Amino acid sequence: MWFEEFQKKFRWPPRHNAAVRENFEKRGAGRLAQMLQKVRKDGRKPSWMGDSAWADLNKYWQSQEFKQKSDQNKKNRDSNAGASLHTGGSIPHRVHFKKM
């Protein structure tokens, strides 16, 4: 439904349909994840969400499965073991390459 609305406002060559759709879905999923994270932290039902969806999400957020995944992800983010940390700053990699 949302992609159909997007198509009404924007145009691209038909050969790019699959790539545009994939990009739309990826960005939409990321945005939805951000919105749900904010809702979970606020603890208040947003006006755009139905009561049954709110109840289901709260039930899932209180589940042992969610708490275990959340704890594991926290540990993974805090771990530097074997991690590749970005330490190049705001200088593009092409500039670093030229300097070498």
Side-chain angles (χ1 to χ4, degrees):
M1 173 183 102
W2 292 112
F3 187 70
E4 290 173 14
E5 292 298 316
F6 180 72
Q7 284 180 306
K8 291 177 185 176
K9 296 185 180 197
F10 300 97
R11 298 281 176 233
W12 53 86
R15 68 181 182 274
H16 296 303
N17 278 343
V20 171
R21 178 67 183 246
E22 182 180 341
N23 193 20
F24 180 87
E25 296 289 341
K26 182 179 177 181
R27 290 176 184 269
R31 181 67 180 120
L32 180 60
Q34 289 173 346
M35 291 167 64
L36 290 175
Q37 183 180 29
K38 184 176 186 288
V39 165
R40 186 170 56 85
K41 287 183 179 184
D42 288 347
R44 293 184 307 230
K45 184 180 93 58
S47 60
W48 50 266
M49 186 180 292
D51 291 335
S52 64
W54 176 247
D56 290 344
L57 281 171
N58 276 304
K59 183 178 177 182
Y60 176 67
W61 290 332
Q62 298 302 317
S63 73
Q64 196 62 31
E65 175 190 4
F66 177 80
K67 290 178 181 181
Q68 286 174 344
K69 284 183 184 179
S70 179
D71 289 341
Q72 183 62 51
N73 289 337
K74 286 177 191 174
K75 289 176 187 174
N76 292 345
R77 284 190 302 271
D78 290 341
S79 172
N80 287 331
S84 174
L85 300 176
H86 174 74
T87 58
S90 62
I91 300 171
H93 68 280
R94 292 180 306 278
V95 175
H96 285 294
F97 180 76
K98 286 180 183 180
K99 287 180 181 180
M100 296 171 102

